[in-house]
Amino acid sequence: MLKRLAVASVILTAACAGQQKTDAAEGQKQMTKEERLRITNQPPFDLATCFPHEQALPAPANEGVLVGALLSVRPDVLECLVDPANRGPAASTKVTVKTTVTAQGATNAVSGENLTPAGTACIQNVLDTHVKPAPLAADAKPVETTYEYDHATANNPSVTMGINEGSDFSGKVRLAQKSWCDCYAGYKASTPPVLTADIHIVKGQPNPTEVTFKPSGSTEGDQLASCMQAKIAALPASTSGELKFPFRFVFFNSQAPVEASADMPPELRFFQLELARTQTAAASAIAFGARTNAADTYDAVVQKYTKTKDYKLFDELASKCQALVDSATRWVDALKAQETVDQTTLTLVQGLKAQKEDWAPVETASQEALANTQKDLSAAQQRLAADQGACPKKSYTPAKKK
């Protein structure tokens, strides 16, 4: 199950890569004159990198807990790789993280391909900030897991400088968005509307001459636009002549609940749901790890009782078994949340396929993802029923009359 959780969150993006670019090597080809003039560097921004979900990881750490923790920070790791200073010249970047937990604490060793020292430092900071399992007991064996993150400029948000002046300023805007978290404060649990701004830059002026946002259709969206307008207007700008171009701001939020994306355009909602699935998969892995810990704890008390037959252990047996049932219930609930995301995604994709046959591979991948989640959910529900049945029950036998 853990292997599926680790890879399933990227299956749909891989299947849908053709919806964005059909050739990952396209970024390395010589650009045409039209491509050199086109304004680029306007990829989406995931608000979850502004408002990460802080969580106390279950202790002791095990494989499930570590896989879930590493999966949960995927938006932050990929945000590091948006910046061209953090990537090498290749179109694809692979990041490998080896997390080890001992009695002395946890370490996250970062290595990879096409990763610069600045990129390594950025990812190291993400991991050391958000992946912090508690130290193990002094006599415990070290726990270790390895996880990989893949980034491709053809499919993942990225900025490439040196294309043209408009694209360079767009890249500057995109890279600055991570520092504008105050603007997004009203969207911690939702997704903002798509915003469009017209930007005017004139030679000799240190900042944009004009930044004008189109009406968003909502008060909250207009407030966000106003905040961003001030940020963009303060950015340094330069041009050899005069530039006028639009910037289309697309936002996602990995932490937003499924229903928060209902009003998004269908194709954008697909990617929002995939990001949400990453987080539900992470939660499922962590819940699985917590249930494993509870089972080990209960088993230790059972073994002790089996050896001693000490009836005084009954209350401890009952409490540890109830903790096991509670952890199994949370595991089931996490998988149900994942199933909801998968079912919503499949329904959406089937609607998109009805309009465009290109979505057929995505439909297949979505069906497989849902089937795998339902298989895991069925196994978890069976495990929960078994845990409930295993809990001891007191019985009182009346004393025999003499």
Side-chain angles (χ1 to χ4, degrees), residues 32 38 42 59 65 71 82 123 127 142 153 160 172 215 218 244 279 314 316 326 356 379:
T32 65
R38 187 173 60 218
Q42 298 182 4
V65 170
L71 183 55
V82 173
I123 295 169
L127 297 169
T153 56
T160 301
K172 189 179 297 184
S218 70
K244 287 185 178 181
Q279 297 306 309
F314 180 86
E316 185 177 3
D326 291 343
K356 194 173 182 181

Coordinates of all heavy atoms in Angstrom, one line a residue, residues 32 38 42 59 65 71 82 123 127 142 153 160 172 215 218 244 279 314 316 326 356 379:
T32 N 11.8 29.2 -31.8 CA 11.4 29.9 -33.0 C 11.3 31.4 -32.7 O 11.3 31.8 -31.5 CB 10.1 29.4 -33.6 OG1 9.1 29.7 -32.7 CG2 10.1 27.9 -33.9
R38 N 7.0 35.3 -27.4 CA 5.8 35.0 -26.6 C 6.2 35.2 -25.1 O 7.3 34.9 -24.7 CB 5.4 33.6 -26.8 CG 4.1 33.2 -26.1 CD 3.7 31.8 -26.5 NE 4.7 30.8 -26.2 CZ 5.1 29.7 -27.0 NH1 4.4 29.6 -28.2 NH2 6.0 28.9 -26.6
Q42 N 4.6 32.2 -16.5 CA 3.4 32.5 -15.7 C 2.8 31.2 -15.2 O 1.6 31.0 -15.4 CB 2.4 33.3 -16.5 CG 3.0 34.7 -17.0 CD 2.0 35.5 -17.8 OE1 0.9 35.1 -18.0 NE2 2.5 36.6 -18.3
A59 N 4.5 8.9 17.0 CA 5.8 8.4 17.5 C 5.5 7.0 18.0 O 4.5 6.7 18.6 CB 6.4 9.3 18.5
V65 N 4.8 6.5 8.5 CA 4.9 7.9 9.0 C 5.8 8.7 8.2 O 5.5 9.8 7.7 CB 5.3 7.9 10.5 CG1 5.6 9.3 10.9 CG2 4.2 7.3 11.4
L71 N 5.8 12.8 1.6 CA 4.8 13.1 0.5 C 4.0 14.4 0.8 O 3.7 15.2 -0.1 CB 3.8 12.0 0.4 CG 2.7 12.0 -0.7 CD1 3.3 12.2 -2.0 CD2 1.9 10.7 -0.6
V82 N 10.9 25.7 -8.9 CA 10.4 26.7 -9.8 C 11.6 27.6 -10.2 O 11.7 28.0 -11.4 CB 9.3 27.5 -9.2 CG1 8.8 28.6 -10.1 CG2 8.1 26.6 -9.0
I123 N 15.6 22.8 -0.5 CA 14.9 21.6 -0.2 C 15.3 21.1 1.2 O 14.4 20.6 2.0 CB 15.2 20.5 -1.2 CG1 14.6 20.9 -2.6 CG2 14.6 19.1 -0.8 CD1 15.0 20.1 -3.7
L127 N 12.6 20.3 4.4 CA 12.6 19.0 5.1 C 12.9 19.2 6.6 O 12.2 18.7 7.5 CB 13.6 18.0 4.5 CG 13.3 17.6 3.0 CD1 14.5 16.9 2.5 CD2 12.0 16.8 2.9
P142 N 17.3 1.9 14.2 CA 17.1 3.1 13.3 C 16.0 2.8 12.3 O 15.9 1.6 11.8 CB 18.4 3.3 12.6 CG 19.4 2.7 13.6 CD 18.8 1.5 14.2
T153 N 10.4 20.6 -16.4 CA 10.0 21.9 -16.8 C 8.8 21.9 -17.8 O 8.1 22.9 -17.9 CB 11.2 22.7 -17.5 OG1 11.7 21.9 -18.6 CG2 12.3 22.9 -16.5
T160 N 12.1 30.1 -16.5 CA 13.3 30.1 -17.3 C 13.6 31.5 -17.7 O 12.7 32.1 -18.4 CB 13.1 29.2 -18.5 OG1 12.8 27.8 -18.1 CG2 14.4 29.2 -19.3
K172 N 10.1 37.1 -12.7 CA 10.4 37.8 -11.4 C 9.1 37.9 -10.6 O 9.1 37.7 -9.4 CB 10.9 39.2 -11.7 CG 11.4 40.0 -10.6 CD 11.9 41.4 -11.0 CE 13.1 41.3 -11.9 NZ 13.6 42.6 -12.2
P215 N -11.6 43.0 -13.2 CA -12.5 42.6 -12.2 C -12.5 41.1 -12.0 O -12.6 40.4 -13.0 CB -13.8 43.2 -12.6 CG -13.5 44.3 -13.5 CD -12.3 43.9 -14.2
S218 N -15.6 38.8 -7.7 CA -15.9 38.6 -6.3 C -15.2 39.7 -5.4 O -14.1 40.2 -5.9 CB -15.6 37.2 -5.8 OG -14.2 37.1 -5.7
K244 N 4.0 46.0 -23.0 CA 2.6 45.9 -22.5 C 2.2 44.4 -22.7 O 2.3 43.9 -23.9 CB 1.7 46.8 -23.3 CG 1.8 48.3 -23.0 CD 0.7 49.1 -23.7 CE 0.8 50.6 -23.4 NZ -0.3 51.4 -24.0
Q279 N -2.1 15.2 -0.7 CA -2.3 15.4 0.7 C -3.1 14.3 1.4 O -2.8 13.9 2.5 CB -2.9 16.8 1.0 CG -2.0 17.9 0.5 CD -0.5 17.9 1.0 OE1 -0.3 17.7 2.2 NE2 0.4 18.0 0.1
F314 N -5.7 -6.1 32.9 CA -6.9 -6.0 32.0 C -7.2 -4.6 31.6 O -7.5 -4.3 30.4 CB -8.2 -6.6 32.7 CG -9.4 -6.5 31.9 CD1 -9.7 -7.5 31.0 CD2 -10.2 -5.4 31.9 CE1 -10.8 -7.4 30.2 CE2 -11.4 -5.3 31.1 CZ -11.7 -6.3 30.3
E316 N -5.2 -2.1 31.3 CA -4.2 -1.7 30.3 C -4.5 -2.3 28.9 O -4.4 -1.7 27.9 CB -2.8 -2.0 30.7 CG -1.7 -1.5 29.8 CD -0.3 -1.8 30.3 OE1 -0.2 -2.4 31.3 OE2 0.6 -1.3 29.6
D326 N -9.2 3.1 17.7 CA -9.3 4.6 17.3 C -8.3 4.9 16.2 O -8.7 5.6 15.3 CB -8.9 5.4 18.5 CG -10.0 5.4 19.6 OD1 -11.1 4.9 19.3 OD2 -9.7 5.8 20.8
K356 N -13.5 15.9 -25.2 CA -12.2 15.7 -25.9 C -11.6 14.4 -25.6 O -11.3 14.1 -24.5 CB -11.3 16.9 -25.5 CG -10.0 17.0 -26.4 CD -9.2 18.3 -25.9 CE -8.1 18.5 -26.9 NZ -7.2 19.7 -26.4
A379 N -9.5 -3.2 2.8 CA -8.5 -3.9 3.7 C -8.5 -3.2 5.0 O -8.5 -3.8 6.1 CB -7.1 -3.9 3.0

